[in-house]
C-alpha cells in the first residue's frame, strides 16, 4: 500500500455535519488540542460542509468547495449527517448522497470497524459478561465491489430480479493487503470469511487470499470460515478473533453484528481507507441522532476514538492515538457516563463534561 506523504503540518479536514455532529466534533477538537499541547505537534484544521447543512447553505450535499479541500489534507474527520428535515428530498439530493459521493471521491475501498469491549461496560451488552469481556477485534470490509455494485443488476424479466457478486483479483488482493497490514500491527492473526463451499466468487476470493498472504505476509496465521459459521462463532466465542476480512455483503452484516457485541453505538469508531494516495476518512459508526441533538446528551467517545484511529492510521502517530484510547478507558473505568451508557442511579455527564474529562487526561 502506498502511503500518502504526510506533510509536516498534519492537515485534517473536519466535517461536523448535522444533528449531534457539531457537539461531538467540538469535543474531539478539544482532545486534539490536548494532543497538540502535550506532543508539540501542530495540526492544521480546516472545516467543510457535508450533508444537510451543506444542502441548506449550497443546495448540494457535497459542494465543490468541500471536494476541493480533499486533496489538500491528510485525513478527513466526519461526525454524522442527515435528519428528518431532509428526509423527503428526492433520493439523489439527500444528505446521505453526499456521504456516498465523499467515499467515492476518496476511493475508499476498505472499511475498518473495530469492536472493543470496555470491561467496565461489559454488562450493557445483551450477551453474558464472560462471553464478551476482553473482546478487541477488527472487521475489515471490502467497500466498493461485490454484489452491491456488480452487473447485471435489477429487473431481468417479469417478476424476476438479479444482482451479481463479482470480484477481480486486483480488488481482492488490495483488501487482503490492507487487512494483513492491520493484522501485522496486532496479533498477526487473520480470518477470511467467505462462502467458498457454494459460490465460485468466494472460492476465487479464498484462492487469492491464500496466495497473497503466502507471498506477501508469510508471518500471518491465516484461517478461513464460511459466513454462516462466522456469524455463529462471533456470538459463541468472539474472543477467538482478532482481524476478520470479508467481501462487501458479508462484511456489512458481520461488522454490525460485531458492533452489537459491545453494547453501545456511542462508543464505536470506524475508518474508510483507500490505497493511501488519498486522505483516509474517519467517522463514528452512529448517525446524527436527531432525537438528542442540541441537548448535550450525545456520547462524544465514538468521535474521539475516530480521531485516535485517524492519528494512528493516517498521520502515523500511534503513541498519541494510544494516549487518547487510554484516556477514554480511564474515564470509563472511573465511572464517567453519558446517558446512553449510564445505568439507573449513575451520575450522567453531558457531552461537554465527558469531553473535558478526556481532554484533561490526555493533557495530564
Ligand atoms: P443514529 O445512529 O443516529 O441513532 C440511533 C439511536 O442511537 C438514537 O436513539 C440515538 O439517540 C442513539 N445515538 C446515536 N449516536 C449516539 C451518541 N453518540 N450518543 C448517544 N446516543 C446516540 O441512527 P438513526 O436514528 O437511524 O439515524 C438518524 C439520522 O442519521 C438519519 O438521518 C440517518 O440517515 C443518519 N445516519 C447517518 C450516518 C452517517 O453519518 N454515517 C450513519 C447512520 C445514520
Amino acid at each position: 500500500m502506498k502511503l500518502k506523504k504526510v506533510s509536516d503540518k498534519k492537515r485534517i479536514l473536519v466535517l461536523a455535519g448535522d444533528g449531534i455532529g457539531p457537539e461531538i466534533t467540538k469535543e474531539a477538537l478539544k482532545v486534539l488540542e490536548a494532543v497538540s499541547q502535550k506532543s508539540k505537534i501542530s495540526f492544521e484544521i480546516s472545516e467543510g460542509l457535508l450533508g444537510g447543512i451543506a444542502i441548506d447553505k449550497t443546495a448540494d450535499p457535497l459542494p465543490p468547495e468541500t471536494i476541493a479541500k480533499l486533496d489538500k489534507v491528510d485525513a478527513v474527520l466526519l461526525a454524522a449527517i442527515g435528519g428528518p428535515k431532509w428526509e423527503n428530498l428526492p433520493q439523489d439530493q439527500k444528505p446521505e448522497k453526499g456521504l456516498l459521493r465523499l467515499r467515492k471521491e476518496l476511493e475508499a475501498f476498505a472499511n475498518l470497524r473495530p469492536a472493543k469491549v470496555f470491561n467496565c461496560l461489559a454488562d450493557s451488552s445483551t450477551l453474558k459478561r464472560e462471553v464478551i469481556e476482553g473482546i478487541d477485534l477488527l472487521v475489515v470490509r471490502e467497500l466498493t465491489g461485490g454484489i452491491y455494485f456488480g452487473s447485471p443488476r435489477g429487473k431481468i424479466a417479469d417478476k424476476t430480479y438479479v444482482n451479481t457478486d463479482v470480484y477481480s483479483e486486483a480488488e481482492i488482493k488490495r483488501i487482503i493487503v490492507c487487512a494483513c497490514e492491520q493484522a501485522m500491527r496486532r496479533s498477526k492473526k487473520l480470518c477470511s470469511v467467505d462462502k467458498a463451499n457454494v459460490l465460485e466468487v468466494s472460492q476465487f476470493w479464498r484462492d487469492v487470499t491464500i496466495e497473497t498472504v503466502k507471498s506477501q505476509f508469510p508471518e500471518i496465521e491465516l484461517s478461513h470460515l464460511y459466513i454462516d459459521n462466522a456469524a455463529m462463532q462471533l456470538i459463541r466465542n468472539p474472543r477467538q478473533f482478532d482481524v476478520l476480512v470479508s467481501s462487501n455483503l458479508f462484511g456489512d452484516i458481520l461488522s454490525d453484528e460485531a458492533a452489537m457485541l459491545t453494547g453501545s453505538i456511542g462508543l464505536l469508531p470506524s475508518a474508510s481507507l483507500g490505497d493511501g494516495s488519498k486522505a483516509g476518512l474517519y467517522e463514528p459508526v452512529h448517525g446524527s441522532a436527531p432525537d438528542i441533538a442540541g441537548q448535550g446528551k450525545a456520547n462524544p467517545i465514538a468521535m474521539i476514538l475516530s480521531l485516535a484511529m485517524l492519528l494512528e492510521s493516517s498521520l502515523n502517530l500511534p503513541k498519541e492515538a494510544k494516549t487518547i484510547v487510554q484516556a477514554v478507558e480511564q474515564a470509563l473505568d472511573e465511572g464517567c457516563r453519558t446517558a446512553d451508557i449510564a445505568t439507573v442511579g449513575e451520575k450522567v455527564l453531558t457531552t461537554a463534561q465527558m469531553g473535558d474529562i478526556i481532554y484533561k487526561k490526555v493533557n495530564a
Side-chain angles (χ1 to χ4, degrees), residues 18-30:
D18 310 313
I20 59 169
E23 297 164 65
I24 58 175
T25 299
K26 199 170 161 199
E27 303 316 308
L29 291 180
K30 226 184 238 177

Side-chain angles (χ1 to χ4, degrees), residues 20 24 78-84 87 96 99 103 265-266 283-292 297-300 302 340:
I20 59 169
I24 58 175
L78 161 67
I81 50 98
E87 249 165 36
E96 290 74 8
L99 181 53
R103 289 181 180 146
I265 196 167
E283 55 182 314
V285 165
H286 62 70
S288 62
D291 53 334
I292 55 167
K297 289 184 180 166
N299 188 341
D340 56 315

Side-chain angles (χ1 to χ4, degrees), residues 111-115 137-141 242-245 251 254-255 258:
N111 185 224
L112 274 52
R113 294 262 299 257
L137 60 85
L138 173 71
V139 179
V140 179
R141 167 189 170 194
D242 188 38
V243 181
L244 291 138
V245 62
L254 282 183
S255 56

Side-chain angles (χ1 to χ4, degrees), residues 42-178:
S42 43
F43 298 93
E44 195 177 289
I45 309 294
S46 53
E47 290 176 47
L49 296 174
L50 177 77
I53 186 163
I55 295 172
D56 289 352
K57 293 200 172 163
T58 72
D60 184 346
L62 177 63
E65 299 77 37
T66 302
I67 296 177
K69 291 179 179 175
L70 298 177
D71 275 344
K72 301 188 179 78
V73 295
D74 305 302
V76 179
L77 182 64
L78 161 67
I81 50 98
K85 184 175 176 191
W86 306 280
E87 249 165 36
N88 296 323
L89 288 172
Q91 242 353 298
D92 64 335
Q93 291 166 33
K94 284 189 175 176
E96 290 74 8
K97 199 71 190 174
L99 181 53
L100 293 179
R101 280 172 46 208
L102 174 67
R103 289 181 180 146
K104 200 160 175 210
E105 286 287 336
L106 295 172
E107 294 169 18
F109 62 81
N111 185 224
L112 274 52
R113 294 262 299 257
K116 183 178 160 83
V117 169
F118 295 99
N119 287 340
C120 60
L121 295 176
D123 292 324
S124 46
S125 169
T126 48
L127 297 183
K128 287 187 199 138
R129 172 179 274 273
E130 57 264 35
V131 175
I132 60 150
E133 213 164 27
I135 289 178
D136 183 3
L137 60 85
L138 173 71
V139 179
V140 179
R141 167 189 170 194
E142 202 289 328
L143 205 55
T144 54
I147 199 163
Y148 292 173
F149 296 94
S151 300
R153 64 183 299 149
K155 193 169 183 178
I156 49 165
D158 187 34
K159 296 187 179 170
T160 310
Y161 284 75
V162 68
N163 284 97
T164 305
D165 201 0
V166 54
Y167 272 107
S168 69
E169 183 183 40
E171 283 175 313
I172 301 169
K173 264 191 178 161
R174 66 183 187 177
I175 189 74
I176 298 301
V177 167
C178 173

Side-chain angles (χ1 to χ4, degrees), residues 18 41 66 87 89 104 108 115 120 165 174 200 207 220 278 286 304 314 333 335 357-358:
D18 310 313
I41 296 168
T66 302
E87 249 165 36
L89 288 172
K104 200 160 175 210
C120 60
D165 201 0
R174 66 183 187 177
E200 286 82 356
D207 295 344
I220 285 183
K278 302 227 173 198
H286 62 70
I304 291 169
S314 279
D333 280 343
I357 288 168
I358 297 168

